[in-house]
Amino acid sequence: MSDPTQMSDPTQWTLVEAADAVSSKQISARELAEACIAKSEKLQPTLNCLISLDADGALDEADAADTALARGDAIGPLHGVPLAHKDMFYRAGKVSTCGSKIRKDFLPDHTATVLQRLAAAGALHMGGLNMSEFAVGPFGHNEHWGHCRNPWNPEHVTGGSSSGSGSAVGGRLVFGALGSDTGGSVRLPSACCGLVGMKGTQTRVSRYGVMGLSFSLDNVGPLTRTVRDNARMMAIIAGADPNDLTAANVPVDDYEAATIDAQVKGLRIAVPSNHYYDGASDDVRALMEASLKVFESLGATLVTVEVPDHDILPDLAIALRGPEGAVLHQAWMRDRPQDYGAQVKARLEPGLAISATEYVTSQQIRPKITQRFVDAVFAEADVFHAPTINIPVPSIADTDVKASPNFPAVVAGMVHCTHPINYLGLPSLAVPAGFAQNGLPASFQLIGRPYAEATLYRAAAAYEAETRFFETAPS
């Protein structure tokens, strides 16, 4: 990584560089926060990635961080580092809009566990980030708060539903952000905005105090500029939580250690022969092949595999997400249907028509389907490599089809590679893979066995050290 002391603009630092600079007193937390606030105020009119900017609160936290450092207090791994998060992570007494009109004034009475853990690690809270309404939508469209814009080209989508998280981190407004991932909503904006994004093993991270969409598929994960940044945030938020008994009581590995001097010699990488390249563009396919050649040059071995059951996985995932989302929204859909955006309403309403038989069947066969995938892929490989999105990042105009007859096909194309992994419940890490012919980022995802996040971080860090795409920032 670069030397922070040699860079005139601290917003260009990585999260780890920023934390190191504050802890070594090369920069104060206030100075760092002021730089991020100024950047946010400058770019918000273009990117529309913020719903709220809490500049005063962030500066108060920064002053407290500087005071603690001056006193010699013990500090955490994110001490003085400005972050912002998708506006669906609750903070007691602070508005959490969930990107909606319906909750534009909602004041939660409790704080999400993940926010508590980041605060305990020393992070500053900059504000709430734009998102697809109620986390429904893979593009980043929002009819109430305005569409979020891609920092590489504002005419293109950010990916959703964690659209503001992708735009704010990609645009260098903050050093990291949390998103949620029900069908790809951490990985898609990471892919579109040139970032690293982790969807951990199902229930790896607590969901207490986080707006729900689909209990069976929801995940919380970080979006960052580098693999090491991501590993640091993930290690802080992962783990058991007495307030969320579904959060897995499985030890959290030292993810960050896995990224340091990472090697992949002898690593076996599975490459799919079916599904993931269906409809892939030539330029994205070429970038995927180039990324695999990098892994081979570092000593990894490629293994071609046929993935089972992927013809039915989209329907199985919808059979879970549909009813679970409809249950959460049925009262509002009945009493306030006019307050939903057209795309969101078009995706939520079909969940009311999915039968209990379909839902229960999808739940019952899920362990068997997952085991079939694990057996087919990981009997021969350590990680699975596939595109995150197998087409170039589309434009806002091409995807803003609202509730038109073409809407389901447009959505399905965007989540083609990510949605199956949510149903399988496996960890998946989106990694930048260069730039497509339209000049926007491309990305692959590394998928692992349950709770094998450290292996994914190790492989991704070795690739990143060779390619260093994170050093290229939007102009």
Side-chain angles (χ1 to χ4, degrees):
M1 292 188 180
S2 56
D3 180 358
T5 64
Q6 302 302 312
M7 298 182 67
S8 59
D9 180 3
T11 66
Q12 297 296 325
W13 298 342
T14 69
L15 178 150
V16 170
E17 289 170 346
D20 288 348
V22 172
S23 65
S24 63
K25 300 183 181 179
Q26 296 169 13
I27 191 172
S28 69
R30 172 172 268 269
E31 289 170 328
L32 191 61
E34 286 174 340
C36 289
I37 291 166
K39 188 76 167 283
S40 298
E41 291 173 342
K42 176 183 178 182
L43 292 183
Q44 170 63 8
T46 300
L47 299 181
N48 193 36
C49 57
L50 287 153
I51 286 179
S52 62
L53 175 62
D54 187 5
D56 290 341
L59 291 174
D60 287 345
E61 291 179 358
D63 289 341
D66 287 332
T67 298
L69 195 61
R71 280 197 308 256
D73 294 350
I75 64 170
L78 297 177
H79 192 80
V81 177
L83 306 176
H85 308 294
K86 191 174 186 177
D87 202 29
M88 55 174 275
F89 292 90
Y90 302 157
R91 299 180 76 211
K94 300 290 186 179
V95 172
S96 181
T97 69
C98 303
S100 68
K101 179 179 180 180
I102 289 171
R103 277 196 158 180
K104 67 182 179 64
D105 299 315
F106 171 61
L107 287 172
D109 60 4
H110 60 292
T111 299
T113 294
V114 288
L115 294 190
Q116 294 180 48
R117 290 178 176 175
L118 291 173
L124 311 183
H125 186 84
M126 286 270 294
L129 296 174
N130 203 349
M131 56 182 285
S132 300
E133 178 187 353
F134 286 123
V136 178
F139 304 115
H141 301 153
N142 191 304
E143 295 182 29
H144 308 298
W145 298 93
H147 298 339
C148 200
R149 302 282 173 162
N150 194 306
W152 297 91
N153 184 333
E155 298 304 313
H156 285 251
V157 302
T158 56
S161 60
S162 308
S163 51
S165 301
S167 181
V169 180
R172 274 55 177 172
L173 279 63
V174 292
F175 297 96
L178 292 181
S180 66
D181 194 311
T182 305
S185 292
V186 165
R187 290 162 292 157
L188 295 174
S190 295
C192 292
C193 298
L195 302 173
V196 178
M198 171 61 87
K199 183 208 86 68
T201 307
Q202 188 72 32
T203 71
R204 175 71 287 187
V205 178
S206 170
R207 297 174 292 184
Y208 175 76
V210 182
M211 184 213 81
L213 175 60
S214 173
F215 178 80
S216 298
L217 303 174
D218 291 344
N219 296 266
V220 172
L223 297 84
T224 61
R225 301 174 199 174
T226 73
V227 176
R228 186 176 177 184
D229 291 353
N230 203 279
R232 181 172 293 192
M233 283 189 70
M234 187 67 174
I236 291 166
I237 64 173
D241 176 15
N243 288 319
D244 178 3
L245 297 183
T246 70
N249 188 17
V250 176
V252 178
D253 294 329
D254 190 340
Y255 300 142
E256 189 171 353
T259 70
I260 299 172
D261 297 324
Q263 304 292 322
V264 294
K265 186 175 182 179
L267 190 78
R268 300 169 301 163
I269 299 177
V271 181
S273 63
N274 59 318
H275 181 79
Y276 288 90
Y277 287 93
D278 293 348
S281 66
D282 291 341
D283 54 346
V284 170
R285 186 184 293 271
L287 289 169
M288 296 301 100
E289 292 173 353
S291 71
L292 290 168
K293 288 180 180 177
V294 171
F295 279 114
E296 282 190 300
S297 74
L298 296 173
T301 302
L302 306 185
V303 180
T304 301
V305 299
E306 181 176 352
V307 292
D309 304 312
H310 275 53
D311 55 332
I312 61 172
L313 287 189
D315 289 341
L316 292 173
I318 290 170
L320 296 183
R321 181 188 58 77
E324 290 177 351
V327 165
L328 293 174
H329 287 270
Q330 58 182 336
W332 288 330
M333 285 194 288
R334 180 189 64 237
D335 300 334
R336 304 180 61 174
Q338 73 281 0
D339 290 336
Y340 285 94
Q343 283 196 14
V344 176
K345 187 178 178 183
R347 293 196 71 196
L348 286 173
E349 283 184 335
L352 295 168
I354 294 174
S355 70
T357 301
E358 292 175 276
Y359 176 79
V360 172
T361 298
S362 185
Q363 289 283 21
Q364 285 183 330
I365 67 174
R366 191 179 185 189
K368 181 178 180 180
I369 295 288
T370 300
Q371 190 63 56
R372 281 168 55 87
F373 180 90
V374 169
D375 290 345
V377 172
F378 299 119
E380 302 183 46
D382 304 297
V383 299
F384 179 66
H385 176 291
T388 308
I389 306 170
N390 68 14
I391 56 174
V393 177
S395 70
I396 292 174
D398 287 343
T399 55
D400 192 15
V401 293
K402 293 186 169 57
S404 76
N406 194 41
F407 175 62
V410 173
V411 172
M414 191 71 170
V415 302
H416 181 79
C417 297
T418 57
H419 208 186
I421 309 306
N422 290 81
Y423 182 80
L424 296 170
L426 299 174
S428 176
L429 183 66
V431 182
F435 299 87
Q437 289 180 0
N438 65 358
L440 277 85
S443 171
F444 62 83
Q445 56 181 329
L446 296 175
I447 298 141
R449 296 181 179 89
Y451 305 106
E453 286 85 358
T455 300
L456 305 185
Y457 281 127
R458 174 170 65 91
Y463 173 84
E464 180 185 79
E466 190 73 11
T467 57
R468 305 190 70 81
F469 291 123
F470 70 90
E471 293 180 342
T472 302
S475 58

